Amino acid sequence: MRHVFPLTLCLLPLLAGCTSSNVSSVDSSGEEPFVYPEVEPNEVAVITREGTAHIFWNDESHLGYRVYGSLSKYGDYHLLSGESLIRMNHFETTSNRYGYFKVYGVDGGIETLLGGPVSPFGRETLIVDELDDMASVQEEIDLIHDRLESGRSGQFSSERFAAMLLPGEYNELTMRLGYYSSCYGLGQTPDQTKLNELYVSTNVLGNNNSTCTFWRNAENLLLPHSTQFAVSQATSLRRMHFQENLYLAHPEGWSSGGFLADSKVDGRIESRTQQQWMTRNSDFSRWVGASHNYVFAGCEGGVPTPSWTESTTRTSVEEKVDAMAEMPFLTFSREGYRVFVPSLRRNTSGLSWGESEGEGTYIPLDDFYLAHPDFDDSDTLNKALDQQKNIVFSPGIYEIQSPLKITHENAILLGLGYATLQVSEDNRIGAIQTSDVGGLRIGGLLLDAGKKSDFLLRVGEEKTNLSHAGNPSVISDLFCRIGGKENAHTEVTEAMIVNQNDLIGDNFWLWRADHSSGVAWNDYEEEWGTNYGNPSDTGLRVEGDRVSCYGLMVEHFEKYQTLWNGDYGKTVMYQSEVPYSVPSQEDWMSQNGQKDGYASYKVGDQVAHHYALGLGVYWVHYTHDFLDCAFEAPQREGVKLDHLVTTTFSGYASGGIRHVINDYGDTVGEDGKFRALVATYPTGA
């Protein structure tokens, strides 16, 4: 049944002499004045502020104008403006129930389309209703997918895409996820949005190789048929219900990791050739397969028996998750658009939802600042944060000339469709910095490096003794990238810095790009010109105490991938490749030149307590250099690391990793093995 709601309209009084842009109206609350956007001739724009949708157009050639709204792009459009608007170019409606608007010029009762449909969620969002013309919906999805899935250019595309499915049944729709693509069910539970098929191509690199199948996710959907989700880093399946089987790779191709959380699989999960995988707070009937590193935390059903030997499997299990809050998500109902913020749960296993949405709080979307990449930058976003607004980022790329500053507790920053915060060339600080305030929820964002900055994300200005144990910050699906898009210099000193105590991380990929353009160790000259690099020291540095991470992936930084200095830290599932393109061994030495290379995961010498489970470091070098050890940690009673693995993908004649952790574990690579295991440290058993 199509969703139809009563209209609540508010017409803006005639703006004398206003034809389009840069006209301000004074907000009665005393906040910053609202600035109307630039609108090109014969175009329509829409933005929402303070629960009001503002529709703009730039035209004076018609006697009157009419505005229509629809829940979905291909749905029925309803007249919102009543009779024709005489000599106006701006219309307001207080309803947040409409996803799209069209504007028509009217002369003698005849309508001429001026522009639209336009959505408050941006031009890179597609909102779908179950009664829409599915042929038109499918055609648009397929066209977008074919553009975004175009090999290496797709990996670094500037296009983003989010498909948002209103609650209902989509029995004829196949959602094809390309790069930077997301599909969201907008029900209160996954079972309220049934999708026929979720498709991810395995042909981007040929031979069903999915090791570069990044940047795609799906949330809050019911899938009635078996699904293949062959992906690698910066991906996620959250709050999903698979009624049959879930396959994590093509049976004859490789995949390199992924993340499943808060999901139910009625059938079995087959890992096939997945190298590593993180599964958290999920329920499934059976797990089939083994490779380098599979980790299960707070799972129920057919959880495999933990094992860490060469002859059996490399499987790690944490029965209960100490503390976790699932990522906030967008919903749609009779109340309009709302964001559901799941509650913090402690010592849990299994799903956060069932027949109902689970414990949490609904916040109307009207109470958020809905950011739009065409109209917003760091100035407008910081004004919203200064007013203690939460922010939902519609898909697109946002230019960040100065870091977004979060200073209020319980702030929410939620990205849709891999919304990207691009550090500008002149921004030498970073993308996001926060004060030491608790209860932050940051998720669904890609942070992209600029020419040179100190960091991409810093949580807490400096290390303090302030406890946030009662209200920890949770950061989910947070991805950082340095380089790769073009032959230009990009650099950060440290991608992510956590100074705050008690923070919870949930699915990170911090990536110094290793292929495409602008990925050299340093800039260097060739006959044709400069080949630029992306020199960056460290992926993650943790100074806060009692910080935990579930699904931490950090790759290719030139010094430590992860440097953990805070006490009582915890990592459950770690995946890392050390840098490929080391110029020489002399250029890659740690501890004042005493050790070859930098350990991927280093626990600071002063740390008294640390725990980690299910950790993998991979060697992909084609130069003759060595890494003394993949992990470094002090040998004391309070420090324990379980289930560590190293392996080489470079063969046996091009350097390698001498030890797994400190002086424990065998060599992989030259004169060594393909894979080396340490079951537990410090005993080395």
Side-chain angles (χ1 to χ4, degrees), residues 143-255:
L143 286 172
I144 293 171
H145 172 270
D146 291 346
R147 287 200 307 270
L148 286 172
E149 202 66 355
S150 55
R152 291 189 181 274
S153 62
Q155 291 185 44
F156 297 97
S157 170
S158 60
E159 189 173 355
R160 304 289 182 265
F161 178 54
M164 304 192 334
L165 308 184
L166 301 174
E169 295 190 2
Y170 300 85
N171 297 318
E172 300 176 2
L173 185 63
T174 296
M175 183 61 221
R176 302 177 72 203
L177 286 178
Y179 286 107
Y180 308 102
S181 295
S182 303
C183 184
Y184 306 102
L186 299 186
Q188 295 172 305
T189 69
D191 293 347
Q192 292 180 1
T193 311
K194 180 181 178 183
L195 175 64
N196 177 57
E197 183 181 9
L198 185 69
Y199 170 84
V200 174
S201 173
T202 59
N203 295 317
V204 177
L205 299 182
N207 299 317
N208 300 304
N209 183 343
S210 297
T211 55
C212 288
T213 303
F214 312 135
W215 325 112
R216 61 202 79 200
N217 74 299
E219 297 182 20
N220 208 30
L221 296 164
L222 171 67
L223 274 298
H225 310 299
S226 291
T227 299
Q228 179 175 281
F229 194 71
V231 296
S232 293
Q233 291 80 9
T235 60
S236 65
L237 292 169
R238 289 182 178 273
R239 203 176 171 88
M240 299 286 286
H241 184 185
F242 299 90
Q243 290 188 308
E244 292 187 353
N245 301 327
L246 175 61
Y247 307 120
L248 304 182
H250 189 281
E252 298 177 357
W254 291 98
S255 298

Side-chain angles (χ1 to χ4, degrees), residues 430-456:
I432 303 175
Q433 61 183 21
T434 84
S435 300
D436 193 6
V437 289
L440 304 177
R441 299 290 187 91
I442 302 173
L445 290 172
L446 168 59
L447 310 183
D448 223 344
K451 186 174 183 179
K452 185 175 183 179
S453 64
D454 295 335
F455 55 81
L456 292 176

Side-chain angles (χ1 to χ4, degrees), residues 275 292 555-556 575-582 584-585 588 596-600 616-630 645-659 667-670 673-675:
Q275 294 172 185
H292 300 306
E555 301 192 280
H556 309 302
Q575 180 266 327
S576 178
E577 288 180 356
V578 292
Y580 295 171
S581 54
V582 176
S584 68
Q585 190 73 71
W588 197 45
D596 288 340
Y598 285 81
S600 171
V617 173
Y618 305 142
W619 180 263
V620 191
H621 278 223
Y622 300 97
T623 54
H624 193 79
D625 42 83
F626 280 87
L627 174 60
D628 271 348
C629 58
V645 59
T646 59
T647 190
T648 177
F649 297 143
S650 301
Y652 301 100
S654 53
I657 306 175
R658 292 194 179 97
H659 300 288
T667 299
V668 297
E670 187 174 359
K673 300 179 175 180
F674 164 65
R675 179 167 52 211

